[in-house]
Amino acid sequence: MDVFLKNGKGMLLAYDQGFEHGPSADFNERNIDPSFILDIAIKGGFTGVVLHKGIAEKYYSGKVPLIVKLNGKSSLVKGEPISTQVCSVETAVNMGAKGVGYTIYLGSAHENVMLQEFGEIQEEAHEEGIPAIAWIYPRGEAIKNDTAPDIVAYAARAGLEVGADAVKIKYTGDPTSFGWAVKAAGLAKVFMSGGPKASTDDVFLNQVKGAIDGGATGLAVGRNVWQHEDPLKMASALQEIIFNAREVGTGHQSAVAH
Ligand code: FBP
């Protein structure tokens, strides 16, 4: 994972939502353009950018380390969630990926399919010498609360045990319970997943600070940055918390509009 870290911490910019949620759900005239996002990744000091292969092939410039998402699904199908492979490890490596990502819906009636695919992908990625990162989201009929601390810790542990080099998990609401999930993940690095745009900047920044205080390696974020009216100011505030261990509302963060 070192290629995605700076002083042991990481800040990844995720941009697979056009596929996962649909363009009308998340995008405006600016952020529908992948070039706008890649510019934020470069200028915002991100240590990695997460793309599906189609956008990687057409827009990726090589300036920020690339993670190619290997599976995906639309939001149009209802029922128990399942997301299967749409890109090979080999293709990802050939387009310059330094890591691969895969979403596992733990607790779904179809978790077995995703766990098996991830198992194969992890082995192929390691043969190529690159990390396999699990977006490990508890979801489906069996999951009543996907951010409950025990459920998030279960996801983190499952990620470690299936061989993920890093797990991307949702915030549990406080640093102590998030810290338990970080412990459960063992030597797998933990990235907090951004989520929908928060009501205020401080709400989101405090979540990130809580995750870092709980021992997270960093953040994988999309909407809270590229839906922000000033994405680079938000990126700068995040850098202060993640890389400089600043408190919310100090240093450059005061540059964020409230
Ligand atoms: P956001 O910061 O925008 O939430 O992005 C993180 C992410 O994991 C994306 O990679 C992915 O598209 C999205 O969240 C999944 O969202 P959901 O939880 O709605 O499926």
Side-chain angles (χ1 to χ4, degrees):
M1 280 300 294
D2 286 357
V3 67
F4 297 107
L5 305 181
K6 193 173 83 178
N7 302 328
K9 296 289 182 191
M11 197 168 94
L12 311 176
L13 190 63
Y15 190 62
D16 57 349
Q17 294 83 349
F19 184 7
E20 299 291 331
H21 301 153
S24 305
D26 286 341
F27 295 158
N28 59 24
E29 291 289 334
R30 281 196 315 176
N31 56 35
I32 196 167
D33 178 3
S35 305
F36 177 74
I37 305 302
L38 283 159
D39 201 46
I40 295 170
I42 297 164
K43 294 181 181 151
F46 284 86
T47 58
V49 63
V50 183
L51 304 171
H52 273 293
K53 74 170 176 185
I55 289 186
E57 258 175 352
K58 292 178 180 61
Y59 295 88
Y60 180 61
S61 65
K63 292 190 178 134
V64 175
L66 172 66
I67 296 165
V68 171
K69 266 306 286 298
L70 297 188
N71 66 337
K73 67 161 186 56
S74 81
S75 62
L76 301 173
V77 179
K78 303 301 171 201
E80 284 295 281
I82 179 166
S83 179
T84 54
Q85 194 167 357
V86 293
C87 176
S88 67
V89 172
E90 191 184 359
T91 297
V93 168
N94 286 342
M95 59 178 68
K98 299 289 185 284
V100 288
Y102 186 98
T103 301
I104 300 167
Y105 296 116
L106 200 72
S108 162
H110 307 300
E111 69 166 24
N112 58 323
V113 176
M114 293 169 277
L115 288 166
Q116 184 182 352
E117 264 190 4
F118 181 78
E120 287 165 11
I121 280 165
Q122 186 263 12
E123 290 170 20
E124 288 165 24
H126 286 191
E127 276 165 26
E128 297 281 355
I130 63 170
I133 303 160
W135 275 228
I136 188 149
Y137 295 158
R139 195 166 297 179
E141 270 295 302
I143 306 297
K144 299 302 167 219
N145 177 359
D146 68 346
T147 56
D150 57 341
I151 289 291
V152 175
Y154 198 162
R157 186 62 172 210
L160 168 70
E161 299 210 19
V162 294
D165 299 288
V167 292
K168 184 165 183 268
I169 55 175
K170 303 217 168 180
Y171 190 52
T172 52
D174 66 89
T176 306
S177 63
F178 199 79
W180 178 243
V182 171
K183 278 203 183 75
L187 291 177
K189 308 282 187 205
V190 173
F191 288 82
M192 184 193 120
S193 180
K197 189 157 183 303
S199 52
T200 69
D201 292 338
D202 276 1
V203 166
F204 183 60
L205 294 170
N206 276 304
Q207 290 172 1
V208 176
K209 175 70 177 149
I212 294 295
D213 287 349
T217 291
L219 171 72
V221 61
R223 289 164 285 182
N224 275 287
V225 167
W226 45 252
Q227 286 182 347
H228 196 279
E229 59 185 10
D230 191 340
L232 295 183
K233 277 189 184 163
M234 177 49 96
S236 160
L238 291 169
Q239 284 189 55
E240 293 298 323
I241 292 171
I242 295 168
F243 300 115
N244 299 332
R246 288 269 176 83
E247 297 297 322
V248 175
T250 61
H252 295 158
Q253 290 165 48
S254 52
V256 172
H258 292 287

